[in-house]
């Protein structure tokens, strides 16, 4: 723990009377960080702002807010709080992160803070790196996240990155620091939790200080990424101007620089959080670039469309007026909503993002199209059929997404799957007989 104190004291440029915003959930990690910074508050006269977000998905959340607010009152710490009243149907963790950081930046501006601190630790870094490797990312993305990130007018600092979860728990226990327990951390339907419960124990058993090895790995990748950034900056304005990518000039570049340019363009569209973009999307763009077709397009998440017109590539948003579509499912289908349906050989997923079918029960081939008036599906576990439109209403799907939401059906027009929402009675359990697995992501 002394390393953490020394890092805060000497490595980040903390000065007397500075203002620090700290993201605090109330769990052991963030309460440990708040306790540590409370000590620096006394010695340096810091102004500490505790930023708490109630995600409103657990019944304990309101009491946790009350407990944290009382802690801040006792210790003369500014308490700021928001409650999320409504979620969309997009990726929960991605949306939650966006809301949190927008809230943090608002507080930074309001209080003139120089630092934003979060309680990410070494185990978090391992999980993030492994998830990025499996999903696919940029060189920078594979590095996970940095200990210090320089923003325009403040720094994001993660002081606990050299610690493990167990070391933090030991610290809060010895110092009698009260903290909340998030029960959702035990639920393995969250991808991160499966890495936490299955992969991390194996790695730690192999090497006790594996978190420090991952931190070194992260720092090495960031050094390489920073160098590539410098080289990319020298050429990007020559090949990408006014939203148009000049293919003739682009194809003259090294593939590493080409890839970085594509990701730079996507960062401008999606911000600095590319969690919803993976290797498969970048590969789709490269396939579009290499295509012999003069005019074609591919779809990306959040209504983004990439259009090829002769020797130029442009990035735009889908108009509100959608054309009907219908694609045969062979291997991988790029959908107008930016999602993908892929035929996979195996999967442990049992959510509505994966379906298992027996070809004996259906008429092949399978197709995916947008909704038609009167569409119905025999929902698994229910008696009888249900209108697709009623499912959209029940699931609070935005009207703007309903017209392009994918519907999977067989060659006789029987709807077998509403990806991400409902499966039909034709879906098979993992223990049953099936020979087709479709994944939606």
């Amino acid at each position: 723990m002394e390393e953490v104190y020394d890092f805060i004291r000497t490595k980040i440029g903390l000065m007397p009377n500075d203002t620090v915003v700290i993201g605090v959930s109330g769990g052991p990690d963030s309460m440990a960080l708040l306790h540590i910074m409370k000590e620096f508050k006394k010695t340096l006269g810091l102004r500490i702002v505790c930023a708490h977000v109630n995600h409103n998905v657990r019944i304990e959340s309101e009491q946790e807010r009350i407990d944290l607010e009382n802690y801040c009152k006792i210790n003369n710490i500014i308490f700021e709080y928001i409650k999320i009243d409504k979620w969309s149907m997009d990726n929960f963790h991605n949306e939650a992160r966006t809301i949190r950081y927008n809230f943090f930046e608002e507080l930074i501006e309001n209080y003139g803070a120089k630092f934003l601190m979060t309680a990410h630790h070494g185990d978090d870094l391992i999980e993030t790196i492994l998830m990025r490797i499996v999903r696919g990312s940029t060189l920078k993305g594979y590095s996970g996240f940095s200990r210090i990130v320089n923003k325009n007018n403040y720094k994001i600092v993660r002081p606990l990155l050299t610690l493990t979860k167990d070391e933090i728990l030991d610290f809060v226990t010895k110092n009698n620091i009260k903290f909340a327990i998030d029960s959702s951390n035990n639920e393995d339907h969250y991808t991160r939790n499966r890495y936490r419960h299955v992969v991390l124990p194996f790695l730690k058993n192999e090497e006790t200080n594996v978190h420090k090895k991952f931190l070194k790995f992260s720092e090495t990748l960031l050094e390489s990424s920073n160098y590539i950034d410098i080289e990319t900056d020298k050429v990007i304005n020559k090949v990408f101007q006014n939203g148009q990518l000049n293919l003739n000039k682009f194809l003259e570049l090294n593939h590493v620089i080409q890839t970085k340019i594509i990701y730079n363009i996507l960062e401008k569209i999606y911000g600095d959080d590319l969690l919803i973009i993976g290797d498969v999307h970048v590969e789709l763009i490269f396939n579009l670039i290499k295509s012999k077709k003069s005019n074609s397009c591919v779809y990306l998440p959040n209504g983004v469309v990439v259009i090829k017109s002769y020797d130029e590539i442009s990035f735009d948003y889908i108009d509100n007026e959608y054309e009907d579509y219908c694609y045969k499912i062979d291997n991988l289908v790029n959908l107008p909503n930016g999602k993908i349906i892929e035929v996979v050989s195996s999967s442990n997923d049992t959510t509505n993002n994966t379906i298992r079918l027996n070809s004996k029960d259906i008429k092949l081939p399978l197709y995916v199209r947008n909704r038609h008036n009167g569409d119905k599906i025999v929902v698994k576990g229910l008696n009888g059929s249900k209108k697709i439109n009623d499912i959209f209403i029940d699931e609070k799907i935005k009207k703007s997404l309903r017209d392009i939401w994918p519907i999977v059906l067989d060659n006789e027009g029987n709807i077998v799957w509403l990806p991400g929402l409902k499966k039909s009675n034709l879906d098979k359990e993992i223990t049953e007989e099936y020979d087709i697995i479709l994944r939606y992501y």
Side-chain angles (χ1 to χ4, degrees):
M1 188 60 71
E2 183 56 36
E3 183 182 1
V4 174
Y5 281 91
D6 183 65
F7 171 77
I8 296 171
R9 190 181 300 115
T10 64
K11 303 295 184 181
I12 66 175
L14 191 65
M15 300 294 290
N17 303 314
D18 276 344
T19 299
V20 180
V21 174
I22 305 176
V24 183
S25 67
D29 315 328
S30 58
M31 290 306 295
L33 178 58
L34 189 59
H35 176 86
I36 291 169
M37 292 310 299
K38 183 181 68 174
E39 297 181 36
F40 281 96
K41 176 180 182 294
K42 295 177 182 177
T43 57
L44 293 177
L46 301 177
R47 182 167 63 163
I48 303 295
V49 180
C50 171
H52 179 67
V53 178
N54 179 356
H55 295 95
N56 199 24
V57 293
R58 296 180 297 113
I59 59 174
E60 307 93 342
S61 297
E62 185 59 25
Q63 184 60 50
E64 291 169 5
R65 190 272 301 173
I66 294 171
D67 292 342
L68 183 56
E69 187 171 11
N70 288 335
Y71 176 93
C72 290
K73 286 179 180 178
I74 293 171
N75 292 283
N76 194 27
I77 293 171
I78 299 169
F79 181 77
E80 292 282 0
Y81 158 80
I82 61 167
K83 180 178 180 179
I84 303 172
D85 292 321
K86 186 178 180 180
W87 293 97
S88 72
M89 287 301 297
D90 295 325
N91 182 287
F92 169 80
H93 288 99
N94 183 53
E95 185 178 358
R97 183 187 186 279
T98 300
I99 292 172
R100 283 197 305 272
Y101 277 85
N102 287 342
F103 176 52
F104 296 158
E105 291 202 344
E106 181 181 330
L107 294 178
I108 287 165
E109 183 177 352
N110 291 344
Y111 286 97
K114 294 183 179 179
F115 301 93
L116 166 63
M117 290 190 177
T118 66
H120 292 92
H121 50 75
D123 290 7
D124 291 326
L125 181 63
I126 295 175
E127 294 161 9
T128 299
I129 290 174
L130 292 175
M131 289 168 65
R132 298 271 178 88
I133 289 173
V134 172
R135 177 172 173 77
S137 185
T138 61
L139 193 62
K140 183 178 180 181
Y142 289 133
S143 70
F145 40 77
S146 306
R147 212 171 177 191
I148 301 176
V149 178
N150 292 307
K151 307 293 280 186
N152 290 334
N153 57 344
Y154 70 96
K155 294 180 180 179
I156 300 177
V157 182
R158 301 179 174 101
L160 307 185
L161 215 51
T162 54
L163 300 179
T164 64
K165 182 75 170 185
D166 287 341
E167 288 172 326
I168 293 172
L169 288 171
D170 183 59
F171 175 78
V172 296
T173 300
K174 287 181 178 178
N175 288 274
N176 295 315
I177 301 170
K178 293 183 179 180
F179 60 87
I181 296 294
D182 185 346
S183 58
S184 66
N185 288 333
N186 297 320
E187 299 173 6
D188 279 349
H189 62 269
Y190 291 120
T191 303
R192 181 177 289 275
N193 288 353
R194 294 196 294 274
Y195 281 86
R196 182 173 299 160
H197 299 152
V198 179
V199 182
L200 255 65
F202 168 78
L203 293 176
K204 290 183 178 183
N205 187 56
E206 292 291 313
E207 169 56 59
T208 304
N209 290 318
V210 67
H211 64 291
K212 293 185 177 179
K213 304 294 178 66
F214 269 76
L215 180 58
K216 178 61 178 177
F217 173 76
S218 172
E219 292 169 345
T220 301
L221 289 188
L222 280 173
E223 287 180 0
S224 300
S225 177
N226 290 338
Y227 173 76
I228 293 172
D229 284 344
I230 293 171
E231 295 301 307
T232 302
D233 288 343
K234 295 177 181 178
V235 298
I236 188 169
N237 290 332
K238 298 178 182 178
V239 300
F240 185 68
Q241 295 179 343
N242 301 319
Q244 303 287 329
L245 183 66
N246 185 307
L247 292 185
N248 292 329
K249 295 179 180 179
F250 177 81
L251 292 172
E252 294 176 355
L253 302 174
N254 178 276
H255 183 70
V256 173
I257 303 298
Q258 290 178 351
T259 303
K260 184 60 182 176
I261 288 174
I262 295 298
Y263 270 106
N264 279 4
I265 295 170
L266 294 177
E267 284 177 7
K268 292 179 180 179
I269 297 171
Y270 292 100
D272 61 0
D273 184 4
L274 292 178
L275 291 177
I276 59 175
I277 293 291
D279 277 355
V280 65
H281 301 103
V282 176
E283 185 177 349
L284 286 171
I285 294 174
F286 272 108
N287 289 341
L288 179 68
I289 290 172
K290 296 173 184 177
S291 172
K292 294 181 180 180
K293 295 181 180 179
S294 300
N295 295 278
S296 188
C297 68
V298 296
Y299 301 100
L300 302 182
N302 295 351
V304 176
V305 60
V306 186
I307 304 168
K308 179 181 181 181
S309 180
Y310 296 99
D311 59 354
E312 287 187 338
I313 291 285
S314 62
F315 296 76
D316 206 344
Y317 289 92
I318 301 173
D319 293 332
N320 289 330
E321 294 297 326
Y322 303 109
E323 294 183 1
D324 286 345
Y325 67 88
C326 183
Y327 306 122
K328 181 181 175 183
I329 300 176
D330 290 321
N331 181 30
L332 183 148
V333 179
N334 175 226
L335 300 166
N337 67 348
K339 301 285 189 177
I340 288 166
I341 289 179
E342 183 178 11
V343 180
V344 297
S345 58
S346 63
S347 175
N348 292 322
D349 181 35
T350 57
T351 71
N352 288 319
N353 292 318
T354 300
I355 190 170
R356 296 168 178 82
L357 300 168
N358 189 322
S359 58
K360 297 177 182 178
D361 299 335
I362 56 178
K363 184 69 173 179
L364 296 176
L366 294 171
Y367 294 89
V368 56
R369 61 163 171 78
N370 57 330
R371 67 170 177 169
H372 293 171
N373 290 333
D375 276 343
K376 294 181 180 180
I377 181 174
V378 180
V379 179
K380 184 176 182 178
L382 295 181
N383 292 324
S385 60
K386 189 167 185 176
K387 291 182 179 179
I388 297 295
N389 193 53
D390 289 343
I391 295 174
F392 286 152
I393 294 172
D394 293 343
E395 298 291 336
K396 296 181 173 61
I397 301 300
K398 297 176 183 177
K399 290 184 178 180
S400 59
L401 296 177
R402 296 177 190 177
D403 287 338
I404 56 171
W405 200 280
I407 294 172
V408 176
L409 59 159
D410 70 2
N411 199 38
E412 292 183 343
N414 300 308
I415 296 176
V416 301
W417 186 30
L418 190 56
L421 298 179
K422 297 293 181 182
K423 291 184 275 193
S424 75
N425 61 343
L426 295 171
D427 173 65
K428 302 297 182 182
E429 300 295 330
I430 292 180
T431 54
E432 295 183 284
E433 182 180 347
Y434 55 87
D435 54 1
I436 299 171
I437 308 175
L438 301 180
R439 179 185 170 213
Y440 176 69
Y441 60 99

